Amino acid sequence: MALTQISSNKCFGGLQKVFEHDSVELNCKMKFAVYLPPKAESEKCPALYCLSGLTCTEQNFISKSGYHQATSEHGLVVIAPDTSPCGYNSKGEDESWDFGTGAGFYVDTTEDPWKTNYRMYSYVMEELPQLINANFPVDPQRMSIFGHSMGDHGALICALKNPGKYKSVSAFAPICNPVLSPWGKKAFSGYLGTDQSKWKAYDATRLVKSYPGSQLDILIDQGKYDQFLLDGQLLPDNFIAACTEKKIPIVFRLQEGYDHSYYFIATFITDHIRHHAEYLNA
Amino acid sequence: MKFAVYLPPKAETEKCPALYWLSGLTCTEQNFISKSGYHQAASEHGLVVIAPDTSPRGCNIKGEDESWDFGTGAGFYVDATEDPWKTNYRMYSYVTEELPQLINANFPVDPQRMSVFGHSMGGHGALICALKNPGKYKSVSAFAPICNPVLCPWGKKAFSGYLGTDQSKWKAYDATNLVKSYRGSQLDILIDQGKDDQFLLDGQLLPDDFIAACTEKKIPVVFRLQEGYDHSYYFIATFITDHIRHHAKYLNA
């Protein structure tokens, strides 16, 4: 798989790069960002995947989150893909900010006209890690995942559907129970059709209820003044209840005064990097 | 005009020092506050940070949007004397007079404790504001500043447009020239410059001229040439904490 480097900028001693490649899963060109810490010059590093939220590209996280310093210090390679295939010219793909372009929802769609391209679950779970493992100095046995909002929904479902694949998972303001939220209902009905049993396979709260896997240490930060929380889009309480019942350790921090923005992410990103480093560098 | 203000936790209970950030070409008040990663250090050191836009906007001046390095987003922190710019393009007075008065009147800041810093065109702005106003700022610093605009393509284009052909007017806004006649109190200048900065290689920034002038006048300047770094916000983000700390040392003294 050929990679084209789009940009490279030195940052905190490491290199923030952006690449483009022809995705087989998504049938289009995809960009992704990779940060290589100083340690990557001499040894393989653990890989931390960051999944972004609605409307984001691979640019938002790498320019606004302030993650570089902690990542450089802990010696992690951080990969941030785009949030959907783009430019395929599917009818309707640019009509909504919360469906289609920039809103892949990390599912493998089953409905037309999306099913040829909108396979973000397989892209994130299979194609992208294979590409990263083949082209960058990463240890394929040490991977973790986190994200923001729709990206957190993605991180949680990836971890819950693949016990043992990730050493740790964390989230900023995740969409925890999409089958019950307006965003989730819109996305799932469009991508997966009306059969709600197919929806549950991509719902973190449902997946936890049947999670058979090894211990997962989940860290979630949620802004208390997050408008989407107040609008019932995120539903963390449902997820916490399900985790508690299954005795899955979860640290949920409701942050007074914080909203849904990258200012919120930037404030707590170092805690999350440290959380992952604890498991990835063990 | 828009401007950004960061109020640290300390501002809830007491007046804080004010640190002014001046951005570079094409920026608005948004770039610095979303990309530089300055918040943690500003919060910890208890500094109010103000970041204005880089030019007036929407003035309906013919030609204001034709270039990315002149007009909109390229105010160059001068008071223009030429038509059609002179009515609106007065960023020097805006940054040194109007904006601080507004900030002092509306925010919990100590008007006696101000510092200034910036990037590129904003680095030029910070240096000239400090050099033209001895004693006004406690400290100054810059990322990849345009140090000698009268001799670089950006500066020549901007100054001839805003100030006309009389180069004595240009020198009044040139940090290297201003240092040569600087009479003020000790100014502790910190400059970070990326070694792989394309604009450095293109002769737009000319830091050597500035360092030579400072050395001759015995004005302390710490100039750090950073291997591998370019002109981007990734460069700024890497060293911003050092700059905030530099200013805090003087502002919190």
Side-chain angles (χ1 to χ4, degrees), chain A residues 227-276:
Chain A
Q227 190 53 48
F228 300 119
L229 178 70
L230 305 171
D231 290 348
Q233 295 281 18
L234 306 178
L235 306 169
D237 293 349
N238 299 351
F239 184 71
I240 297 164
C243 287
T244 309
E245 201 180 313
K246 288 287 286 186
K247 297 187 172 33
I248 289 172
I250 175 170
V251 172
F252 178 83
R253 310 192 303 185
L254 191 63
Q255 302 288 3
E256 183 71 52
Y258 287 92
D259 59 17
H260 200 70
S261 69
Y262 267 91
Y263 295 111
F264 158 61
I265 295 174
T267 302
F268 301 106
I269 190 75
T270 298
D271 290 350
H272 284 242
I273 302 286
R274 203 179 288 136
H275 170 79
H276 293 291

Short mmCIF file of all heavy atoms in Angstrom, two decimals, chain A residues 227-276:
data_model
loop_
_atom_site.label_atom_id
_atom_site.label_comp_id
_atom_site.label_asym_id
_atom_site.label_seq_id
_atom_site.Cartn_x
_atom_site.Cartn_y
_atom_site.Cartn_z
N GLN A 227 -23.39 21.02 25.80
CA GLN A 227 -24.75 21.15 25.29
C GLN A 227 -25.29 19.82 24.78
O GLN A 227 -26.48 19.53 24.90
CB GLN A 227 -24.78 22.19 24.17
CG GLN A 227 -26.18 22.60 23.72
CD GLN A 227 -27.06 23.05 24.88
OE1 GLN A 227 -26.65 23.86 25.71
NE2 GLN A 227 -28.27 22.50 24.97
N PHE A 228 -24.42 19.00 24.23
CA PHE A 228 -24.88 17.72 23.68
C PHE A 228 -25.24 16.74 24.80
O PHE A 228 -26.09 15.87 24.61
CB PHE A 228 -23.83 17.13 22.75
CG PHE A 228 -23.51 18.03 21.59
CD1 PHE A 228 -22.24 18.53 21.39
CD2 PHE A 228 -24.51 18.41 20.69
CE1 PHE A 228 -21.96 19.37 20.34
CE2 PHE A 228 -24.24 19.25 19.63
CZ PHE A 228 -22.96 19.74 19.46
N LEU A 229 -24.61 16.89 25.95
CA LEU A 229 -25.00 16.10 27.11
C LEU A 229 -26.41 16.48 27.52
O LEU A 229 -27.28 15.63 27.73
CB LEU A 229 -24.02 16.35 28.26
CG LEU A 229 -24.31 15.63 29.59
CD1 LEU A 229 -24.05 14.13 29.44
CD2 LEU A 229 -23.45 16.21 30.71
N LEU A 230 -26.64 17.80 27.59
CA LEU A 230 -27.94 18.31 28.00
C LEU A 230 -29.02 17.94 26.97
O LEU A 230 -30.18 17.75 27.33
CB LEU A 230 -27.86 19.83 28.17
CG LEU A 230 -26.76 20.31 29.13
CD1 LEU A 230 -26.60 21.83 29.09
CD2 LEU A 230 -27.03 19.86 30.56
N ASP A 231 -28.62 17.80 25.71
CA ASP A 231 -29.57 17.46 24.65
C ASP A 231 -29.83 15.95 24.55
O ASP A 231 -30.54 15.53 23.64
CB ASP A 231 -29.02 17.92 23.28
CG ASP A 231 -29.02 19.42 23.13
OD1 ASP A 231 -29.66 20.11 23.97
OD2 ASP A 231 -28.38 19.93 22.19
N GLY A 232 -29.23 15.16 25.42
CA GLY A 232 -29.49 13.73 25.40
C GLY A 232 -28.81 12.97 24.27
O GLY A 232 -29.25 11.90 23.87
N GLN A 233 -27.71 13.52 23.76
CA GLN A 233 -27.00 12.83 22.68
C GLN A 233 -25.97 11.84 23.20
O GLN A 233 -25.58 10.92 22.51
CB GLN A 233 -26.28 13.84 21.78
CG GLN A 233 -27.18 14.79 21.02
CD GLN A 233 -27.80 14.15 19.78
OE1 GLN A 233 -27.84 12.92 19.64
NE2 GLN A 233 -28.28 14.97 18.86
N LEU A 234 -25.49 12.04 24.42
CA LEU A 234 -24.32 11.29 24.88
C LEU A 234 -24.67 10.13 25.83
O LEU A 234 -24.09 9.06 25.74
CB LEU A 234 -23.33 12.25 25.55
CG LEU A 234 -22.93 13.45 24.68
CD1 LEU A 234 -21.98 14.39 25.42
CD2 LEU A 234 -22.31 13.00 23.36
N LEU A 235 -25.58 10.35 26.75
CA LEU A 235 -26.15 9.32 27.63
C LEU A 235 -25.10 8.49 28.39
O LEU A 235 -25.17 7.26 28.41
CB LEU A 235 -27.04 8.37 26.81
CG LEU A 235 -28.14 9.08 25.99
CD1 LEU A 235 -28.78 8.12 24.99
CD2 LEU A 235 -29.20 9.65 26.94
N PRO A 236 -24.15 9.15 29.07
CA PRO A 236 -23.14 8.38 29.79
C PRO A 236 -23.71 7.58 30.96
O PRO A 236 -23.16 6.54 31.31
CB PRO A 236 -22.15 9.46 30.29
CG PRO A 236 -22.94 10.73 30.31
CD PRO A 236 -23.94 10.62 29.21
N ASP A 237 -24.77 8.05 31.57
CA ASP A 237 -25.33 7.34 32.73
C ASP A 237 -25.70 5.90 32.38
O ASP A 237 -25.50 4.98 33.19
CB ASP A 237 -26.56 8.07 33.27
CG ASP A 237 -26.22 9.42 33.87
OD1 ASP A 237 -25.03 9.71 34.06
OD2 ASP A 237 -27.15 10.20 34.15
N ASN A 238 -26.23 5.71 31.18
CA ASN A 238 -26.60 4.35 30.77
C ASN A 238 -25.37 3.46 30.71
O ASN A 238 -25.40 2.29 31.10
CB ASN A 238 -27.27 4.38 29.39
CG ASN A 238 -28.54 5.20 29.39
OD1 ASN A 238 -29.03 5.62 30.44
ND2 ASN A 238 -29.09 5.45 28.21
N PHE A 239 -24.29 4.02 30.19
CA PHE A 239 -23.06 3.25 30.05
C PHE A 239 -22.46 2.92 31.41
O PHE A 239 -22.05 1.79 31.65
CB PHE A 239 -22.06 4.04 29.19
CG PHE A 239 -20.79 3.30 28.89
CD1 PHE A 239 -20.80 2.23 28.02
CD2 PHE A 239 -19.59 3.68 29.47
CE1 PHE A 239 -19.62 1.55 27.73
CE2 PHE A 239 -18.42 3.00 29.19
CZ PHE A 239 -18.43 1.92 28.31
N ILE A 240 -22.46 3.92 32.28
CA ILE A 240 -21.91 3.70 33.62
C ILE A 240 -22.70 2.61 34.35
O ILE A 240 -22.14 1.72 35.00
CB ILE A 240 -21.93 5.01 34.44
CG1 ILE A 240 -21.03 6.05 33.79
CG2 ILE A 240 -21.49 4.76 35.89
CD1 ILE A 240 -21.28 7.45 34.30
N ALA A 241 -24.02 2.67 34.22
CA ALA A 241 -24.87 1.66 34.87
C ALA A 241 -24.54 0.26 34.35
O ALA A 241 -24.43 -0.70 35.13
CB ALA A 241 -26.34 1.99 34.63
N ALA A 242 -24.37 0.16 33.04
CA ALA A 242 -24.06 -1.14 32.45
C ALA A 242 -22.69 -1.64 32.90
O ALA A 242 -22.51 -2.82 33.20
CB ALA A 242 -24.12 -1.04 30.92
N CYS A 243 -21.70 -0.74 32.98
CA CYS A 243 -20.37 -1.13 33.44
C CYS A 243 -20.41 -1.59 34.89
O CYS A 243 -19.78 -2.59 35.27
CB CYS A 243 -19.39 0.05 33.33
SG CYS A 243 -18.89 0.43 31.65
N THR A 244 -21.17 -0.85 35.70
CA THR A 244 -21.26 -1.18 37.13
C THR A 244 -21.85 -2.56 37.30
O THR A 244 -21.36 -3.36 38.09
CB THR A 244 -22.13 -0.13 37.84
OG1 THR A 244 -21.64 1.17 37.51
CG2 THR A 244 -22.10 -0.31 39.34
N GLU A 245 -22.89 -2.83 36.54
CA GLU A 245 -23.54 -4.14 36.66
C GLU A 245 -22.61 -5.28 36.25
O GLU A 245 -22.62 -6.35 36.84
CB GLU A 245 -24.78 -4.14 35.76
CG GLU A 245 -25.80 -5.19 36.14
CD GLU A 245 -27.00 -5.15 35.22
OE1 GLU A 245 -27.50 -4.02 34.98
OE2 GLU A 245 -27.39 -6.22 34.73
N LYS A 246 -21.77 -5.02 35.23
CA LYS A 246 -20.84 -6.06 34.78
C LYS A 246 -19.51 -6.02 35.52
O LYS A 246 -18.60 -6.77 35.19
CB LYS A 246 -20.55 -5.88 33.28
CG LYS A 246 -21.68 -6.24 32.37
CD LYS A 246 -21.88 -7.75 32.28
CE LYS A 246 -20.78 -8.40 31.45
NZ LYS A 246 -21.02 -9.83 31.22
N LYS A 247 -19.42 -5.11 36.49
CA LYS A 247 -18.19 -4.94 37.26
C LYS A 247 -16.97 -4.65 36.38
O LYS A 247 -15.88 -5.18 36.59
CB LYS A 247 -17.93 -6.18 38.14
CG LYS A 247 -19.02 -6.42 39.20
CD LYS A 247 -18.65 -7.54 40.14
CE LYS A 247 -19.59 -7.72 41.32
NZ LYS A 247 -21.00 -7.41 41.09
N ILE A 248 -17.19 -3.81 35.39
CA ILE A 248 -16.07 -3.36 34.56
C ILE A 248 -15.59 -2.02 35.11
O ILE A 248 -16.40 -1.09 35.22
CB ILE A 248 -16.50 -3.23 33.09
CG1 ILE A 248 -16.73 -4.64 32.53
CG2 ILE A 248 -15.45 -2.49 32.27
CD1 ILE A 248 -17.33 -4.66 31.15
N PRO A 249 -14.29 -1.91 35.45
CA PRO A 249 -13.81 -0.67 36.07
C PRO A 249 -13.95 0.52 35.14
O PRO A 249 -13.52 0.45 33.99
CB PRO A 249 -12.34 -0.94 36.36
CG PRO A 249 -12.10 -2.36 36.08
CD PRO A 249 -13.19 -2.87 35.22
N ILE A 250 -14.56 1.55 35.66
CA ILE A 250 -14.69 2.76 34.86
C ILE A 250 -14.46 3.96 35.76
O ILE A 250 -14.98 4.02 36.87
CB ILE A 250 -16.06 2.81 34.16
CG1 ILE A 250 -16.25 4.14 33.43
CG2 ILE A 250 -17.21 2.59 35.13
CD1 ILE A 250 -17.46 4.17 32.53
N VAL A 251 -13.65 4.90 35.28
CA VAL A 251 -13.48 6.18 35.97
C VAL A 251 -14.18 7.21 35.12
O VAL A 251 -13.78 7.47 33.97
CB VAL A 251 -11.99 6.54 36.13
CG1 VAL A 251 -11.84 7.96 36.67
CG2 VAL A 251 -11.29 5.54 37.05
N PHE A 252 -15.25 7.79 35.66
CA PHE A 252 -16.03 8.79 34.93
C PHE A 252 -15.90 10.11 35.66
O PHE A 252 -16.26 10.19 36.84
CB PHE A 252 -17.49 8.35 34.85
CG PHE A 252 -18.37 9.36 34.15
CD1 PHE A 252 -18.45 9.39 32.76
CD2 PHE A 252 -19.11 10.28 34.88
CE1 PHE A 252 -19.25 10.31 32.11
CE2 PHE A 252 -19.92 11.22 34.24
CZ PHE A 252 -19.99 11.23 32.85
N ARG A 253 -15.37 11.14 34.98
CA ARG A 253 -15.14 12.43 35.64
C ARG A 253 -16.02 13.48 34.97
O ARG A 253 -15.84 13.78 33.78
CB ARG A 253 -13.66 12.82 35.53
CG ARG A 253 -12.72 11.69 35.94
CD ARG A 253 -11.29 12.11 36.11
NE ARG A 253 -10.70 12.74 34.94
CZ ARG A 253 -9.42 13.11 34.85
NH1 ARG A 253 -8.60 12.89 35.88
NH2 ARG A 253 -8.95 13.68 33.75
N LEU A 254 -16.95 13.99 35.75
CA LEU A 254 -17.83 15.05 35.24
C LEU A 254 -17.15 16.38 35.55
O LEU A 254 -17.00 16.74 36.72
CB LEU A 254 -19.20 14.94 35.93
CG LEU A 254 -20.33 15.80 35.33
CD1 LEU A 254 -20.63 15.38 33.90
CD2 LEU A 254 -21.57 15.68 36.19
N GLN A 255 -16.74 17.10 34.53
CA GLN A 255 -15.90 18.28 34.72
C GLN A 255 -16.72 19.56 34.73
O GLN A 255 -17.27 19.98 33.70
CB GLN A 255 -14.82 18.31 33.62
CG GLN A 255 -13.91 17.08 33.58
CD GLN A 255 -12.94 17.01 34.75
OE1 GLN A 255 -12.96 17.86 35.63
NE2 GLN A 255 -12.08 15.99 34.77
N GLU A 256 -16.78 20.19 35.91
CA GLU A 256 -17.56 21.41 36.12
C GLU A 256 -17.15 22.53 35.17
O GLU A 256 -15.97 22.88 35.08
CB GLU A 256 -17.36 21.86 37.58
CG GLU A 256 -18.15 23.08 37.99
CD GLU A 256 -19.65 22.80 38.12
OE1 GLU A 256 -20.00 21.84 38.84
OE2 GLU A 256 -20.45 23.53 37.49
N GLY A 257 -18.13 23.09 34.45
CA GLY A 257 -17.87 24.27 33.62
C GLY A 257 -17.38 23.97 32.22
O GLY A 257 -17.39 24.85 31.35
N TYR A 258 -16.99 22.74 31.93
CA TYR A 258 -16.42 22.42 30.63
C TYR A 258 -17.50 22.01 29.63
O TYR A 258 -18.53 21.45 30.01
CB TYR A 258 -15.36 21.31 30.75
CG TYR A 258 -14.09 21.83 31.39
CD1 TYR A 258 -13.91 21.76 32.77
CD2 TYR A 258 -13.11 22.46 30.63
CE1 TYR A 258 -12.77 22.28 33.38
CE2 TYR A 258 -11.96 22.97 31.22
CZ TYR A 258 -11.80 22.88 32.59
OH TYR A 258 -10.68 23.40 33.18
N ASP A 259 -17.22 22.29 28.36
CA ASP A 259 -18.19 22.02 27.29
C ASP A 259 -17.69 20.88 26.40
O ASP A 259 -16.94 20.02 26.87
CB ASP A 259 -18.47 23.31 26.49
CG ASP A 259 -17.23 23.91 25.86
OD1 ASP A 259 -16.20 23.21 25.74
OD2 ASP A 259 -17.27 25.10 25.48
N HIS A 260 -18.05 20.92 25.13
CA HIS A 260 -17.76 19.81 24.22
C HIS A 260 -16.53 20.10 23.36
O HIS A 260 -16.16 19.31 22.51
CB HIS A 260 -18.97 19.60 23.29
CG HIS A 260 -19.04 18.25 22.64
ND1 HIS A 260 -19.31 17.07 23.33
CD2 HIS A 260 -18.90 17.86 21.33
CE1 HIS A 260 -19.34 16.05 22.50
NE2 HIS A 260 -19.08 16.49 21.27
N SER A 261 -15.90 21.26 23.57
CA SER A 261 -14.93 21.78 22.61
C SER A 261 -13.52 21.19 22.78
O SER A 261 -13.24 20.45 23.71
CB SER A 261 -14.82 23.30 22.77
OG SER A 261 -14.19 23.58 24.02
N TYR A 262 -12.64 21.60 21.88
CA TYR A 262 -11.24 21.21 21.98
C TYR A 262 -10.54 21.89 23.16
O TYR A 262 -9.48 21.42 23.59
CB TYR A 262 -10.51 21.47 20.65
CG TYR A 262 -10.53 20.24 19.77
CD1 TYR A 262 -11.55 20.03 18.84
CD2 TYR A 262 -9.56 19.25 19.91
CE1 TYR A 262 -11.59 18.88 18.07
CE2 TYR A 262 -9.58 18.09 19.13
CZ TYR A 262 -10.60 17.91 18.22
OH TYR A 262 -10.64 16.76 17.45
N TYR A 263 -11.11 22.95 23.68
CA TYR A 263 -10.54 23.55 24.90
C TYR A 263 -10.67 22.56 26.06
O TYR A 263 -9.78 22.42 26.89
CB TYR A 263 -11.22 24.87 25.24
CG TYR A 263 -10.99 25.93 24.19
CD1 TYR A 263 -12.02 26.38 23.37
CD2 TYR A 263 -9.71 26.47 23.99
CE1 TYR A 263 -11.77 27.34 22.38
CE2 TYR A 263 -9.47 27.42 23.01
CZ TYR A 263 -10.51 27.85 22.21
OH TYR A 263 -10.28 28.79 21.23
N PHE A 264 -11.78 21.86 26.09
CA PHE A 264 -12.04 20.81 27.09
C PHE A 264 -11.05 19.65 26.89
O PHE A 264 -10.39 19.20 27.82
CB PHE A 264 -13.49 20.36 26.95
CG PHE A 264 -13.82 18.99 27.50
CD1 PHE A 264 -13.66 18.69 28.84
CD2 PHE A 264 -14.35 18.00 26.66
CE1 PHE A 264 -14.00 17.43 29.34
CE2 PHE A 264 -14.69 16.76 27.15
CZ PHE A 264 -14.52 16.46 28.49
N ILE A 265 -10.90 19.21 25.65
CA ILE A 265 -9.97 18.11 25.36
C ILE A 265 -8.56 18.51 25.76
O ILE A 265 -7.84 17.76 26.42
CB ILE A 265 -10.02 17.76 23.86
CG1 ILE A 265 -11.38 17.19 23.48
CG2 ILE A 265 -8.91 16.76 23.51
CD1 ILE A 265 -11.57 16.95 21.99
N ALA A 266 -8.15 19.71 25.37
CA ALA A 266 -6.79 20.17 25.64
C ALA A 266 -6.49 20.21 27.14
O ALA A 266 -5.37 19.97 27.57
CB ALA A 266 -6.57 21.56 25.04
N THR A 267 -7.52 20.50 27.94
CA THR A 267 -7.32 20.58 29.39
C THR A 267 -6.98 19.23 29.99
O THR A 267 -6.18 19.14 30.93
CB THR A 267 -8.59 21.16 30.06
OG1 THR A 267 -8.87 22.45 29.51
CG2 THR A 267 -8.39 21.30 31.57
N PHE A 268 -7.55 18.16 29.47
CA PHE A 268 -7.40 16.85 30.11
C PHE A 268 -6.62 15.83 29.27
O PHE A 268 -6.45 14.68 29.67
CB PHE A 268 -8.78 16.29 30.50
CG PHE A 268 -9.51 17.21 31.45
CD1 PHE A 268 -10.58 17.98 31.01
CD2 PHE A 268 -9.10 17.34 32.76
CE1 PHE A 268 -11.23 18.86 31.87
CE2 PHE A 268 -9.74 18.21 33.64
CZ PHE A 268 -10.80 18.98 33.19
N ILE A 269 -6.17 16.23 28.12
CA ILE A 269 -5.50 15.28 27.22
C ILE A 269 -4.28 14.64 27.87
O ILE A 269 -4.03 13.44 27.67
CB ILE A 269 -5.12 15.97 25.87
CG1 ILE A 269 -4.65 14.93 24.85
CG2 ILE A 269 -4.05 17.02 26.06
CD1 ILE A 269 -5.77 14.11 24.26
N THR A 270 -3.55 15.38 28.66
CA THR A 270 -2.34 14.82 29.29
C THR A 270 -2.72 13.68 30.24
O THR A 270 -2.01 12.66 30.29
CB THR A 270 -1.56 15.92 30.04
OG1 THR A 270 -1.15 16.88 29.07
CG2 THR A 270 -0.34 15.37 30.76
N ASP A 271 -3.81 13.82 30.96
CA ASP A 271 -4.28 12.73 31.82
C ASP A 271 -4.56 11.47 31.00
O ASP A 271 -4.26 10.34 31.42
CB ASP A 271 -5.57 13.11 32.55
CG ASP A 271 -5.36 14.18 33.61
OD1 ASP A 271 -4.20 14.49 33.93
OD2 ASP A 271 -6.37 14.71 34.11
N HIS A 272 -5.17 11.65 29.84
CA HIS A 272 -5.53 10.49 29.02
C HIS A 272 -4.29 9.84 28.43
O HIS A 272 -4.16 8.62 28.42
CB HIS A 272 -6.50 10.91 27.91
CG HIS A 272 -7.89 11.12 28.41
ND1 HIS A 272 -8.96 10.36 27.99
CD2 HIS A 272 -8.36 11.99 29.32
CE1 HIS A 272 -10.06 10.77 28.63
NE2 HIS A 272 -9.72 11.75 29.44
N ILE A 273 -3.35 10.63 27.96
CA ILE A 273 -2.11 10.07 27.42
C ILE A 273 -1.40 9.27 28.51
O ILE A 273 -0.90 8.16 28.29
CB ILE A 273 -1.19 11.18 26.87
CG1 ILE A 273 -1.88 12.01 25.78
CG2 ILE A 273 0.12 10.60 26.38
CD1 ILE A 273 -2.03 11.34 24.46
N ARG A 274 -1.38 9.85 29.71
CA ARG A 274 -0.73 9.18 30.84
C ARG A 274 -1.45 7.86 31.15
O ARG A 274 -0.81 6.85 31.46
CB ARG A 274 -0.78 10.11 32.05
CG ARG A 274 0.29 9.82 33.09
CD ARG A 274 0.21 10.79 34.25
NE ARG A 274 0.67 12.13 33.88
CZ ARG A 274 0.04 13.25 34.23
NH1 ARG A 274 -1.07 13.21 34.96
NH2 ARG A 274 0.53 14.42 33.86
N HIS A 275 -2.76 7.85 31.10
CA HIS A 275 -3.58 6.65 31.33
C HIS A 275 -3.15 5.56 30.37
O HIS A 275 -2.90 4.42 30.76
CB HIS A 275 -5.05 7.01 31.13
CG HIS A 275 -6.00 5.85 31.09
ND1 HIS A 275 -6.44 5.18 32.21
CD2 HIS A 275 -6.63 5.25 30.04
CE1 HIS A 275 -7.28 4.23 31.88
NE2 HIS A 275 -7.42 4.24 30.57
N HIS A 276 -3.04 5.89 29.11
CA HIS A 276 -2.66 4.89 28.11
C HIS A 276 -1.21 4.47 28.27
O HIS A 276 -0.87 3.29 28.13
CB HIS A 276 -2.91 5.43 26.71
CG HIS A 276 -4.36 5.62 26.41
ND1 HIS A 276 -5.22 4.54 26.28
CD2 HIS A 276 -5.10 6.73 26.27
CE1 HIS A 276 -6.45 5.01 26.06
NE2 HIS A 276 -6.41 6.32 26.05
#
